[in-house]
Amino acid sequence: IWFYTNDIFENAGIPAPEIQYTTAGTGIIEIIAGLIGCFTIEKLGRRHLMIGGFTMMGICSAGITLALILQVKLLFMRYVSVCCVVGIIAGFCIGPAGVPFLITAELFKQSHRPAAYIIGGSLNWLSNFTVGFVFPFLQMSAGSYCYLVFSTVCFSVAVYVYIVIPETKNKTFMEISRLFSKKEAILESQGLFHVDQLKLRKMNGYGGLEHASLEFDSSSSVP
């Protein structure tokens, strides 16, 4: 969308003198959406912003396809396509633009975090290059239906986040690990859960034990 905004608006039938204003308007919407995501992430949580953002992008991508098909008969649909482009950018800036980088730090412990950032960043830029390179050929071959590919991807990611990715807001690394782990009952039955909890809290605190862990340790030594 960012690479080919002018081309998209031109193909949508927007008059050339108006394209510069619509492009500037998308930049303003981008700033507003980014501020909304910034000030609501601690209230709504990471998952809600991710799911909402990708869902909004999927709906707007499908809306562009519908608008481009109908704009031959209905001239006002060209402006609907502009609104869909703005909606995609707004949905991206609200959640998918920044939350993945934040949630990466919360899902991985310190020893694995650099590798996670390297892999995530490399895949991000590789995908960015691939989409930017392939989109013109996809648009020539599929026409207006090329946006359905992106709509499918966005809806699939929203479902994936809903099913797999846990909410990390106000949760410690131990609590996040428990959401992924299916062996908590076994650890508790073997009496190893508190020991493992103490180790993970120490790891999460970069060598400093939390007060709860210290209280547990001191109380366990009292007969």
Side-chain angles (χ1 to χ4, degrees):
I1 293 296
W2 278 329
F3 292 160
Y4 302 103
T5 300
N6 291 342
D7 293 337
I8 293 172
F9 290 157
E10 183 179 354
N11 294 332
I14 303 298
E18 298 181 12
I19 291 180
Q20 57 182 341
Y21 300 108
T22 54
T23 303
T26 56
I28 296 174
I29 296 298
E30 177 184 346
I31 296 174
I32 295 175
L35 292 175
I36 292 175
C38 179
F39 289 110
T40 59
I41 188 170
E42 292 300 331
K43 295 181 179 180
L44 299 179
R46 285 69 162 142
R47 292 179 76 251
H48 289 88
L49 292 181
M50 289 278 287
I51 295 172
F54 277 113
T55 302
M56 185 175 179
M57 293 170 65
I59 294 174
C60 291
S61 296
I64 291 179
T65 299
L66 183 63
L68 292 178
I69 293 174
L70 297 178
Q71 73 178 8
V72 178
K73 299 180 179 179
L74 303 173
L75 294 179
F76 72 91
M77 294 301 292
R78 66 180 63 177
Y79 297 100
V80 174
S81 64
V82 172
C83 293
C84 289
V85 170
V86 173
I88 292 175
I89 295 176
F92 177 74
C93 292
I94 288 175
V99 174
F101 298 98
L102 173 63
I103 205 172
T104 300
E106 296 176 337
L107 289 177
F108 294 92
K109 60 184 180 180
Q110 178 64 21
S111 59
H112 297 160
R113 200 170 296 157
Y117 270 111
I118 291 175
I119 295 174
S122 300
L123 290 176
N124 182 31
W125 285 107
L126 178 62
S127 301
N128 197 18
F129 168 79
T130 302
V131 172
F133 181 78
V134 172
F135 178 75
F137 303 99
L138 183 63
Q139 191 177 35
M140 287 187 294
S141 59
S144 302
Y145 296 97
C146 67
Y147 299 99
L148 294 180
V149 176
F150 301 101
S151 179
T152 303
V153 172
C154 290
F155 282 126
S156 300
V157 175
V159 173
Y160 174 82
V161 173
Y162 179 79
I163 295 175
V164 178
I165 304 299
E167 178 57 67
T168 59
K169 182 186 72 171
N170 296 329
K171 287 183 173 62
T172 64
F173 177 75
M174 179 59 197
E175 293 170 332
I176 298 172
S177 299
R178 264 193 263 172
L179 295 175
F180 281 113
S181 177
K182 298 181 180 179
K183 300 180 180 181
E184 180 179 347
I186 299 176
L187 292 174
E188 288 180 340
S189 63
Q190 295 178 349
L192 299 177
F193 176 75
H194 291 297
V195 176
D196 189 50
Q197 183 181 30
L198 184 63
K199 291 180 180 178
L200 285 175
R201 283 185 174 180
K202 184 175 181 180
M203 181 187 302
N204 189 44
Y206 306 101
L209 296 177
E210 295 182 2
H211 294 295
S213 299
L214 291 175
E215 291 173 1
F216 165 75
D217 183 64
S218 58
S219 61
S220 62
S221 61
V222 178

